[in-house]
Amino acid sequence: MTLALPLAPRRTPSPVWPVVAVVALLGLPLTPGAEGGAGPADALSALVVGFCVVRLLRRRRRPLSRTAAVVLGLPVVGLALAAVGASSAGAGLTGLGRYLQVFVLVPAAVVLLIRDRADFRLLAWAFVGLAGWEGAVGVHQYVTGTGASYQGQQIRAVGTFGVVDVMGMATVVSFGLVCAVGLALGQASLRQRAVAVACALALLVPLALSFSRGAWIATAVTCAAQLCLAGMRRALKAGAVLLAAGVLLVGGLGIGTAMLQERIASITQVADAPDQSVTDRYTMWAAATGMWREHPLTGVGLKGFPEHRDSHASLALSSGSDTEGAGAAFRRQPLLSPHNMYLLVLAEQGLVGLLALAGSWLALLVCALTGLWRARRTGLGPDCALVSCGLLVWQLTDFVYADIGGPSTVLTAVALGLAAWWALVGGREAGDAEAEGMTPAHAALRAEGATR
């Protein structure tokens, strides 16, 4: 007589793999000198949204909770009003499609395609992998002098994005570093945490060589916040390691010492002796504020900033920024945005649009922090919580110095979706486990079983 042993339920392939493919496509090199705009990753992100819709229709299940639907759909209010007020129907539809892609559709699809914390970690490691690839290309550009032009030398690390999206590599590397720090501070195996720490330290090099002041500030603020949220003891230990690594890389090995010191010093000189890039930024900020004063509620309409810029900007604004290197010839890049997401939304969508969009982001951050508090008490996914909070803090900080645009923008949409999953789904699972008094092991087993 033979005994039949119960078979363990088979885990189906994760539906998050198409999202991982979107991240991987961003590592493909762009054509030098091509105009920034929709690329292969953007096209695939549209297919991912379609795949998500078909999957929901086949399963006939309620896609999102009421809270998630309200939080993710809140930006639509301001976008619809601003699209109606655009200067032309084409500009309104183009702007509406881009904003919906980045802040509504792709994030919602990512939330729906992530089944559990294992899928979350898979996507987070995909961010780290892309950052490692782009960072390696960027370091090679610096060493060989084949990067973008910076102070007359082609040494600026821009990765595969080139001068089309000069901030693309800095954004990708920052996202990867934030994910690596969050994974390192979790409760995974010692081996995985050691790999995450090594990745985080390695990514400091290409981040420094990007010469991006905004990315530096946002990453420093975010990593400090992650360390403090993980516990003060860990924060002190990790801070000491990062400080030693910084001293070794910049001081000991002399990686870009003179130019890095000059670039860092320029952060504190934005008021006393600003360079032309800072002057241009302040001038465009003032122009955006002027547009908002004339149209306080609904703004000048989507894609309206370039059209109204000259009538609101002072003579201090230059005609554009010089771009060269990384395989592209010299060209004058026009300044078509204020390089501040909050002011861009305020100018084009007015107070209604800013409250709707920023309100959605702040709601996600509050939910993510609440989930983190629950995770620390139950032990259910603290690494996911730290990654989620880190991505939100980084994006909200970086938006003070940057806005959407360029091929790397689709990664912002995926990052918001990754953070939103924990804020709206994963954090609630931790809360349910806490309410039922379950141990972390039992809660993890129930969560895994529910997704099979």
Side-chain angles (χ1 to χ4, degrees), residues 28-350:
L28 296 178
L30 299 175
T31 303
E35 294 291 336
D42 292 282
L44 184 56
S45 72
L47 295 178
V48 168
V49 174
F51 166 71
C52 182
V53 172
V54 172
R55 188 169 180 267
L56 290 175
L57 293 176
R58 291 183 59 185
R59 288 173 170 256
R60 298 181 181 180
R61 294 171 58 183
R62 182 178 179 179
L64 293 170
S65 67
R66 185 175 301 175
T67 301
V70 170
V71 172
L72 293 175
L74 191 59
V76 177
V77 178
L79 291 173
L81 292 175
V84 172
S87 59
S88 67
L93 289 176
T94 302
L96 180 63
R98 186 60 160 167
Y99 273 95
L100 287 178
Q101 174 205 12
V102 177
F103 297 118
V104 180
L105 297 178
V106 173
V110 174
V111 170
L112 293 169
L113 293 176
I114 294 178
R115 298 178 301 183
D116 50 29
R117 294 181 305 281
D119 286 352
F120 183 101
R121 295 183 183 107
L122 171 64
L123 192 51
W125 278 111
F127 273 67
V128 177
L130 176 64
W133 162 248
E134 291 292 342
V137 175
V139 172
H140 178 266
Q141 290 170 335
Y142 175 84
V143 173
T144 59
T146 56
S149 178
Y150 179 76
Q151 294 187 357
Q153 303 181 51
Q154 295 186 358
I155 58 171
R156 186 171 190 175
V158 291
T160 62
F161 297 100
V163 296
V164 173
D165 189 4
V166 73
M167 305 305 301
M169 191 212 73
T171 300
V172 170
V173 170
S174 298
F175 279 150
L177 199 154
V178 168
C179 288
V181 170
L183 293 168
L185 295 173
Q187 296 180 348
S189 65
L190 180 61
R191 180 180 178 181
Q192 291 186 36
R193 283 183 285 148
V195 172
V197 170
C199 291
L201 294 176
L203 290 175
L204 290 174
V205 178
L207 180 61
L209 299 180
S210 70
F211 295 99
S212 172
R213 292 171 293 198
W216 292 348
I217 295 172
T219 304
V221 170
T222 301
C223 290
Q226 286 179 300
L227 292 172
C228 292
L229 291 172
M232 292 307 298
R233 182 177 298 179
R234 281 187 171 185
L236 293 175
K237 292 181 179 179
V241 172
L242 289 175
L243 181 61
V247 171
L248 176 63
L249 292 174
V250 178
L253 301 181
I255 297 180
T257 303
M259 289 187 176
L260 281 176
Q261 289 179 351
E262 181 181 348
R263 190 67 166 172
I264 294 173
S266 68
I267 296 176
T268 61
Q269 297 172 353
V270 294
D272 298 333
D275 55 30
Q276 185 59 47
S277 65
V278 175
T279 301
D280 288 339
R281 183 165 301 186
Y282 282 171
T283 304
M284 290 188 293
W285 287 5
T289 305
M291 297 177 201
W292 168 68
R293 289 197 182 103
E294 292 185 1
H295 305 272
L297 290 180
T298 58
V300 298
L302 295 180
K303 296 288 185 178
F305 182 87
E307 181 180 347
H308 294 80
R309 182 199 65 181
D310 292 339
S311 61
H312 292 84
S314 68
L315 295 178
L317 181 66
S318 64
S319 60
S321 59
D322 298 338
T323 60
E324 185 182 11
F330 174 84
R331 63 172 296 182
R332 193 77 171 163
Q333 189 73 27
L335 304 174
L336 303 178
S337 71
H339 296 291
N340 180 304
M341 191 65 201
Y342 304 106
L343 291 179
L344 177 62
V345 173
L346 193 63
E348 294 187 346
Q349 302 179 40

